[in-house]
């Protein structure tokens, strides 16, 4: 079973075993779960309840699942796969709990109206990686799912220099995910790039980025993506083999408004040049590398102040 989230899927690589003692009560047409346990990696989940009407057109389920808290020696599969694509190189731990229910009729009919719910929490999470200068600590993930909806109550993590908090919901998470998310981040860019190392020709980036934004849109329609809220860059440096001179002291303050970035101020030093810019950028996501897709960005610069000499 996979649970789809904006950052990837839960459950990747977790072994699943099921021990069970089922009792058939023929007179009542009921299959009763006397004792049953699902083992999801290190998380043991007790299953109780019954299924009645087996052999009929509309069997009825009434099942409860409860597991944890369990101390996990590895978080592989318990965190969204997109957050840590090389999780096998991490040392990690945390505490997990799981609760779920399955109720109602089930069968081949589209109106079988089977109801189910799931709530998973991971707390006190810690992960370390050989390429990271510091551990990721205080990881917390609380997610609840019902038919057609995943509610991300919170996803939080911090390092010595960064913090991230995400909440919101994803509707129709399998067929056509639609996101409504709130993101609050203050990130050390050197730590962030260490999490997802690029190729040898990629620039080296340091400094800080922050923002408190709302994200709305559908995964299958990138043009629907709208990000709203203030964003900042502070003390950013960018250097690399393809640059004539490194960028220094890049500082920016602006606001994302749908598909428009309004820059109140952007300043940077490069070589002997000092740049100061105000204006707007339409479709700023198009400034991402070409493989990210999207049309070219358009800009409407209100003021430009260039000082010193340009090389």
């Amino acid at each position: 079973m996979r649970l789809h989230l904006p950052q990837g899927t839960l459950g990747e690589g977790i072994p699943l075993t099921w021990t069970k003692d089922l009792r058939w009560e023929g007179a009542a047409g009921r299959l009763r779960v006397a004792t049953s346990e699902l083992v999801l990696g290190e998380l043991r989940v007790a299953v109780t309840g019954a299924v009645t009407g087996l052999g009929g057109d509309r069997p009825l389920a009434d099942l409860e699942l409860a597991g944890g808290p369990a101390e996990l020696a590895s978080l592989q599969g318990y965190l969204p796969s997109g957050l840590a694509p090389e999780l096998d190189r991490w040392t990690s731990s945390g505490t997990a709990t799981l609760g779920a229910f399955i109720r109602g009729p089930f069968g081949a009919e589209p109106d079988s109206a089977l109801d189910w719910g799931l709530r998973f929490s991971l707390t006190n999470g810690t992960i370390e990686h050989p390429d990271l200068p510091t551990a990721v600590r205080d990881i917390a993930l609380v997610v609840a799912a019902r038919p057609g909806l995943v509610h991300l109550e919170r996803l939080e993590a911090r390092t010595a220099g960064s913090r991230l908090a995400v909440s919101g919901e994803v509707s129709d998470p399998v067929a056509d995910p639609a996101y409504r998310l709130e993101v609050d981040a203050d990130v050390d860019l050197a730590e962030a790039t260490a999490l997802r190392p690029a190729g040898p020709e990629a620039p080296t980036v340091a400094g800080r980025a922050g923002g408190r934004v709302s994200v709305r849109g559908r995964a299958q329609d990138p043009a629907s993506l709208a990000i709203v809220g203030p964003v900042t860059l502070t003390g950013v440096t960018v250097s690399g083999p393809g640059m004539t001179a490194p960028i220094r002291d890049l500082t920016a303050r602006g606001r994302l408004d749908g598909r428009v970035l309004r820059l109140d101020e952007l300043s940077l030093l490069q070589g002997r040049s000092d740049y100061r810019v105000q204006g707007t950028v339409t479709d700023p996501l198009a400034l991402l590398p070409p493989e990210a897709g999207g049309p070219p960005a358009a800009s409407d610069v209100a003021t430009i102040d260039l000082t010193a000499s340009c090389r």
Side-chain angles (χ1 to χ4, degrees):
M1 175 181 174
R2 293 180 179 179
L3 180 60
H4 293 257
L5 294 173
Q7 298 81 14
T9 58
L10 288 175
E12 296 283 352
I14 298 179
L16 170 65
T17 60
W18 183 21
T19 60
K20 53 194 174 295
D21 180 3
L22 307 179
R23 306 291 176 87
W24 172 247
E25 300 173 351
R30 178 169 57 236
L31 180 66
R32 184 168 60 86
V33 180
T35 60
S36 180
E37 184 179 65
L38 288 171
V39 182
L40 303 169
E42 298 167 291
L43 179 60
R44 296 181 175 273
V45 180
V47 182
T48 58
V51 179
T52 59
L54 285 175
D57 294 334
R58 291 171 65 85
L60 292 173
D62 186 3
L63 300 172
E64 300 279 347
L65 295 86
E71 298 298 325
L72 307 178
S74 173
L75 302 185
Q76 185 169 5
Y78 297 100
L79 286 176
S81 58
L83 292 181
E86 299 179 6
L87 197 57
D88 56 327
R89 298 182 62 203
W90 299 57
T91 301
S92 56
S93 62
T95 303
T97 60
L98 175 71
F101 69 86
I102 304 172
R103 298 193 188 102
F106 64 94
E109 298 83 358
D111 61 344
S112 58
L114 180 67
D115 190 21
W116 60 270
L118 179 146
R119 179 182 172 85
F120 174 79
S121 71
L122 172 69
T123 57
N124 303 319
T126 300
I127 54 179
E128 298 182 65
H129 191 280
D131 295 335
L132 274 181
T134 182
V136 182
R137 301 189 181 278
D138 299 333
I139 300 171
L141 171 66
V142 182
V143 59
R146 297 291 298 270
L149 181 68
V150 174
H151 179 51
L152 183 61
E153 294 186 18
R154 63 177 177 135
L155 171 62
E156 298 175 353
R158 66 175 60 246
T159 66
S162 304
R163 62 172 177 79
L164 171 69
V166 184
S167 62
E169 64 183 29
V170 184
S171 58
D172 201 2
V174 177
D176 185 12
Y179 305 139
R180 297 178 58 86
L181 302 174
E182 305 296 326
V183 181
D184 184 3
D186 181 14
V187 178
D188 182 318
L189 295 176
E191 291 181 350
T193 53
L195 279 169
R196 304 179 77 90
E201 299 300 316
T204 300
V205 182
R208 303 197 67 81
R212 182 173 291 182
V213 299
S214 300
V215 181
R216 305 287 187 269
R218 293 171 47 241
Q220 296 186 14
D221 181 13
S224 70
L225 182 66
I227 306 174
V228 178
V231 292
T232 61
L233 294 173
T234 307
V236 174
T237 62
V238 184
S239 60
M243 302 177 63
T244 57
I247 294 174
R248 314 184 314 277
D249 295 333
L250 191 161
T251 298
R253 180 172 52 86
R255 179 178 178 84
L256 285 161
D257 188 4
R259 300 190 68 82
V260 176
L261 171 61
R262 306 184 188 282
L263 283 171
D264 298 323
E265 180 180 4
L266 183 149
S267 62
L268 62 91
L269 303 175
Q270 187 174 30
R272 296 174 58 190
S273 301
D274 178 356
Y275 299 90
R276 299 181 184 277
V277 178
Q278 291 178 316
T280 62
V281 178
T282 302
D283 198 10
L285 295 181
L287 295 173
L288 296 174
E291 59 269 21
S299 62
D300 175 16
V301 178
T303 61
I304 300 179
D305 177 14
L306 303 179
T307 61
S309 62
C310 298
R311 289 188 173 186

